[in-house]
Structures are given as structure tokens and as C-alpha cells.
Amino acid sequence: MLGLGLLGLCYGASWSSPGEVFAALTGADHSVVIRDWRLPRVLAGLVFGAALGAAGAIFQNLTRNPMGSPDVIGLDAGAYTGALVALTVLSGTSAQLAAGSVLGGLAVAAAIYLLSFERGFSGMRLVVIGIAFNAMVTAINSWIVLRAELEVAIAAVGWSAGSLNGVGWADLGIPFTVIAVLLALMASRAHAMHQASLGDAVAVTTGVGINRLRLLMVLVGVGCTATVTAVAGPIAFIALAAPQIGRRLAGAAGVPLLPAALTGAVLLLAADLIAQMLLAPVAPPVGVVSTAIGGCYLIWLLTKEVRRA
């Protein structure tokens, strides 16, 4: 994280040496490029990546399935629907985008969660229903974009890829605060979450209120996903890959939150740097790179699951 962050502060249209970066960060040299342009982008990559990694860990623990991440089961698409409604029906202010993203994600999460109950909760059923909802909501999003005015449609399509381009300090204060509160809340229930990942019977015998915990997990996971979507758009596959990579690096039996969050931060920041370097000086959206990397990971994961079955 430190190495990628330093590289992100150095890299740009013109290269800045590590000494210049240090001088800018300590106030010895007020560089607008480093402090006001590059630093917000680097911090956004780290914090948003951590939020997506933690959200992925939450839903993979909830479903006990490595496919159970927000982007696979349709929560990203639902948050994007809410943001599209704010863009096309309302004036599309930052507050409306944030509220629309959260409400859209919660609506899809509630529908998937309720439909996944049949004689008890089933993680596999939730994943399958979520994939179906993802397809339906994606079709609805395409219809909304096609019906929108040209300027709004162009903005919506560009934003839908997920991008950190143009992120500034004014965009980060509220999202960082919300993500910090949500992650702190989930960290306080991390032990109970890992107990629940071992099975309902084990969780109940250890005093875990399983239904309340599931509701809290869904709310925190949707809140993290929707907050990132409201600012940067839906960034795919970080939430899918980060928890499993973090689990393997930590050598953990379950899907722990901290390794997932740290891995998500590294993945998103690395993907953003690759996006900036790929077609420099034009920087494609980070979602293009994360989707390409995540697609390869998804093929590997599906192949592994099929062989195991």
C-alpha cells in the first residue's frame, strides 16, 4: 500500500521525485498537483478499495460462498439504478446520488434476501437469486440510459465503468466518514460474523443473534458498496477477488475482514495506476482494468469450484 501510494503520488503527466512528494506532504513545498490532484485520488483508491474488500468479505461470510460478492449478486447494479434515477429524474446532486445509490442497493438486497428464504436461509440460494437479479437490474439500467437525454446518457455510461478520474477533496469528506463508521461497526461484530460463518448451529450455541447479525451485515455491506458507487461508480470484481486473496495471504480458515480490506485497497490502487499508465496520457476508467483482471480471476474461481464439485 505504501509503495503503490508513493508511486501514485509520483506518477502523472510529469514525474515527481519522492523528495518532491515528501516536501509537498510536509508543507515545505505547496504543490497543487501532488496535494490537490494526486493525493485525493490515491486516498480514494485506498479507502474505496478497502470498503469494497470488506463488503465482499461480509457477503462471502454471509453466503459461505466465494461467489457471494456485491457485484455478482446485483448490489452494485442496484446502487447504480438508484444513482441513474437521481441523474435522470432528479437534478443529480451529490446528495441525491448518494441517497439514490443507498436506496437502490438496499431495495435489491431486501428483495434478494427475502426470496432466498425457503424453510430457512440458504447462502447458495441467495447467490443464485442474486445473479438473476443482477441480470434483470442490469437490463433495467440499460433501458434507463437509452431513455435518458443524450448528455445524461453519455455521463451515465462513462460513470458506469467506475472511475477515480477527477476525484477531489470536496468529493471525499462525507464518503470517508460513512465508510469509517460502517467499518468500525462491522469490526465490533467481526468475531460474531466469523462464528456465523461456521454455521447457524455453532453461532446460536455461542450466543450470536443470527438474524440481527445478518441484517447488520447486509446493511453494512450495502452501505459500503453504495457509498463507493455514489462517488466513483460501480467498480467491479474488487469485492469478489479481494476477500479470497486476503484469506489465502493470511492463511485464515474463514474470510477475515482486515486482510480482505487491505487486499481490496491494494487491488484498486494497483488497477488505477495500471489504468493511468495503459493509454497515457488518456486514463481509462479503473473499472475497465478491474473488470479485465477480475474476469480472469472469476474464470479461475469457477474452474476450481467445478473441479471440487
Side-chain angles (χ1 to χ4, degrees), residues 28-53:
D29 177 22
H30 184 74
S31 172
V32 173
V33 172
I34 295 174
R35 295 181 62 176
D36 296 337
W37 295 359
R38 296 178 187 171
L39 183 57
R41 182 170 186 151
V42 168
L43 291 179
L46 292 173
V47 175
F48 291 168
L52 292 174

Side-chain angles (χ1 to χ4, degrees), residues 79-89 97 140-142 144-145 156 159:
Y80 181 45
T81 303
L84 280 178
V85 172
L87 280 172
T88 55
V89 178
L97 286 173
I140 292 172
N141 293 343
S142 299
I144 293 174
V145 171
W159 185 63

Side-chain angles (χ1 to χ4, degrees), residues 24-167:
L25 295 180
T26 56
D29 177 22
H30 184 74
S31 172
V32 173
V33 172
I34 295 174
R35 295 181 62 176
D36 296 337
W37 295 359
R38 296 178 187 171
L39 183 57
R41 182 170 186 151
V42 168
L43 291 179
L46 292 173
V47 175
F48 291 168
L52 292 174
I58 287 169
F59 281 101
Q60 288 180 18
N61 274 306
L62 179 67
T63 61
R64 294 195 286 276
N65 191 310
M67 293 287 292
S69 72
D71 42 359
V72 173
I73 63 176
L75 302 188
D76 278 17
Y80 181 45
T81 303
L84 280 178
V85 172
L87 280 172
T88 55
V89 178
L90 305 175
S91 56
T93 64
S94 57
Q96 291 171 350
L97 286 173
S101 296
V102 173
L103 291 175
L106 284 175
V108 171
I112 296 171
Y113 191 76
L114 291 174
L115 289 174
S116 65
F117 269 96
E118 184 181 346
R119 298 184 301 274
F121 176 80
S122 169
M124 178 57 72
R125 193 182 303 121
L126 186 147
V127 171
V128 173
I129 292 173
I131 291 172
F133 258 89
N134 191 18
M136 291 187 292
V137 175
T138 300
I140 292 172
N141 293 343
S142 299
W143 179 81
I144 293 174
V145 171
L146 288 172
R147 298 284 296 177
E149 296 181 1
L150 181 60
E151 294 81 2
V152 175
I154 292 173
V157 170
W159 185 63
S160 67
S163 176
L164 298 179
N165 296 337
V167 172

